[in-house]
Amino acid sequence: PYAREEWPLARALLGETVRGELAHIERADCTRAIVRLSAAPVRDGLGERIAAVALVEDVTEQRRAEIDRDRVWELSADSLVVACFDTRFKRVNSAFIRAIGWTKEELLAIHYLDIVHPDDLPATIDRMRRFAQGESCVECVVRVRAKNGEYRHFSWTATPVPSDQLIYAVGRDVTAQKRAEARQALLVRASGLL
């Protein structure tokens, strides 16, 4: 809801350049739309403002798709991560935050290699090299240090986008499964000693 003098075209007539403001409008058929507004003054050869131009782009479907994506991102029971090739997290979802106890701000401020188990670092660094070449991974298990110091096992499926220097990953906490496997292995060994 803009006042008349706040509309980007009115501001451009006063000399302001406006880029990409979002506004909610009502269409002639009474449906609502989200538009991206941009405007700029037009000047003559002497630099005097003589007009303004505006661009109105209907981004309703794009914004709805973004909202849907964000809802799925946050509702997922699996850990979802977007990471950069420079070993920083770009985006993490609530499931990952809950699983390891770090806040979103803490995770976005660190290098993810800082929370990888030392024994898993060589394989993780090798995986990074392969990501840079465009190779994906399926069910790559990496131990990740939780805020309380405990290491959690995550099975990651990840795909890189080398042109964007990004990795998109889905992780499942398999710590309970790994502990059960370790107990089973101990029982098998112990039964062999009897």
Side-chain angles (χ1 to χ4, degrees), residues 1 7 16 29 38 43 86 88 98 112-113 115-117 126 137 157 170 178 184 193:
W7 273 94
E16 182 181 349
D29 64 0
S38 298
R43 300 182 186 276
D86 72 358
R88 291 199 178 270
R98 281 189 305 274
Y112 52 80
L113 293 177
I115 59 173
V116 169
H117 191 284
D126 181 60
C137 78
T157 296
V170 178
K178 290 292 185 183
Q184 183 66 29
L193 296 175

Side-chain angles (χ1 to χ4, degrees), residues 85-105:
F85 279 16
D86 72 358
T87 74
R88 291 199 178 270
F89 291 108
K90 182 174 178 137
R91 193 167 180 205
V92 295
N93 76 339
S94 298
F96 188 56
I97 291 166
R98 281 189 305 274
I100 63 174
W102 299 94
T103 66
K104 177 182 175 181
E105 293 74 22

